[in-house]
Amino acid sequence: MIRQANHSDMNEIARIHKQQFNDHFLGRYSVRMIQKFYESYLDSCIFLVSVSDEVINGFVMGGRYVNLNKSKEKFIHDNKLHYIIETIFRPYIYLQAFRRLRLIKPDPASVSETDANLISLLSISVSENAKGTGVASELINEFEKQVGLESDAYSLSVKKTNNRAIQFYYRKGFVIEVEKESSIFMTKTLHF
Ligand SMILES: CC(C)(COP(=O)(O)OP(=O)(O)OC[C@H]1O[C@@H](n2cnc3c(N)ncnc32)[C@H](O)[C@@H]1OP(=O)(O)O)[C@@H](O)C(=O)NCCC(=O)NCCS
């Protein structure tokens, strides 16, 4: 069953994230920190979970650029000290953490009104035993129903090394828009 995410889901979502994104930036932090990250997005985004036998086995989250950015700022603002302390104990992410802090407040003038309203899928993951079962596909289908109420397209970014996700996105109808050094920017046009 796919339903809206709520506060009590956040710990399980953080655990899935920690397990599935351990080679990504946020995945290096504690489950508690990851939970705080997702909580910041809860009220401003499309945020769905898949539940089977009362256990969460996947989630998808995304929304308008302008809302995602506000949530990210809120997360940093509310958790600055916690973020700094956890980062100090992880020297291998110093550079990435520093870059992210600098990027956190883009010049508002550099984001056009059109770009601010573009919809992105920020995060999708299923638990290990839900991979290859169609759960991810169901999450995307439901996410698209909600995106479709506001827009006829949305985008996402994926690491070039994440073959499984890239194959999945191709199958779901995404096309490559831009290739960068280590990531690919993909978009999908919705036909209802
Ligand atoms: C990305 C993700 C949501 C896709 O869900 P999934 O259930 O694994 O996807 P599927 O198994 O339906 O499809 C994956 C495709 O990858 C390929 N694939 C399957 N197993 C694979 C493996 N072990 N390694 C590489 N590719 C594989 C296949 O081409 C498959 O398509 P097919 O079924 O038509 O053959 C899921 O793998 C996941 O949660 N990954 C960890 C988090 C993540 O990377 N999220 C995306 C960040 S951008």
Side-chain angles (χ1 to χ4, degrees):
M1 178 188 77
I2 311 288
R3 63 160 171 79
Q4 303 289 336
N6 61 49
H7 270 282
S8 60
D9 301 327
M10 295 298 121
N11 183 261
E12 199 45 43
I13 285 171
R15 285 179 192 283
I16 294 176
H17 183 108
K18 177 88 184 154
Q19 186 188 52
Q20 297 300 325
F21 290 101
N22 58 5
D23 59 339
H24 286 60
F25 177 69
L26 183 65
R28 312 263 195 202
Y29 287 84
S30 67
V31 168
R32 185 156 170 251
M33 181 82 165
I34 299 170
Q35 180 173 341
K36 297 235 173 248
F37 174 83
Y38 280 104
E39 278 169 1
S40 309
Y41 289 82
L42 190 56
D43 299 325
S44 58
C45 301
I46 304 170
F47 204 150
L48 306 171
V49 288
S50 162
V51 185
S52 173
D53 294 333
E54 293 178 32
V55 175
I56 292 176
N57 58 6
F59 67 90
V60 60
M61 185 267 274
R64 286 183 190 278
Y65 173 87
V66 65
N67 294 339
L68 296 177
N69 213 48
K70 272 188 204 149
S71 300
K72 188 168 67 174
E73 280 182 23
K74 182 178 171 340
F75 165 67
I76 295 290
H77 178 269
D78 295 353
N79 298 284
K80 211 173 267 164
L81 188 61
H82 188 169
Y83 179 74
I84 291 169
I85 292 170
E86 286 213 10
T87 306
I88 286 171
F89 289 100
R90 293 165 172 83
Y92 46 91
I93 52 168
Y94 281 178
L95 189 61
Q96 283 171 294
F98 177 68
R99 279 204 194 118
R100 275 174 160 77
L101 277 177
R102 283 182 54 214
L103 288 172
I104 202 75
K105 274 198 174 169
D107 176 5
S110 69
V111 181
S112 71
E113 202 179 320
T114 321
D115 285 353
N117 281 314
L118 290 179
I119 297 185
S120 305
L121 185 161
L122 193 66
S123 187
I124 180 168
S125 185
V126 296
S127 56
E128 201 54 39
N129 55 8
K131 284 185 182 173
T133 64
V135 164
S137 186
E138 284 171 26
L139 280 164
I140 285 266
N141 294 348
E142 204 51 44
F143 181 79
E144 288 179 358
K145 279 189 202 159
Q146 302 206 15
V147 171
L149 301 173
E150 305 179 43
S151 175
D152 59 1
Y154 71 107
S155 59
L156 56 83
S157 144
V158 54
K159 274 191 179 193
K160 270 186 176 171
T161 49
N162 195 346
N163 264 331
R164 184 164 188 150
I166 293 169
Q167 293 312 316
F168 172 73
Y169 294 140
Y170 276 141
R171 202 146 44 78
K172 295 305 292 178
F174 281 85
V175 293
I176 294 182
E177 185 85 3
V178 183
E179 263 192 76
K180 296 193 178 160
E181 198 183 320
S182 58
S183 60
I184 302 176
F185 187 73
M186 303 179 95
T187 56
K188 178 170 177 184
T189 306
L190 302 176
H191 305 282
F192 288 112

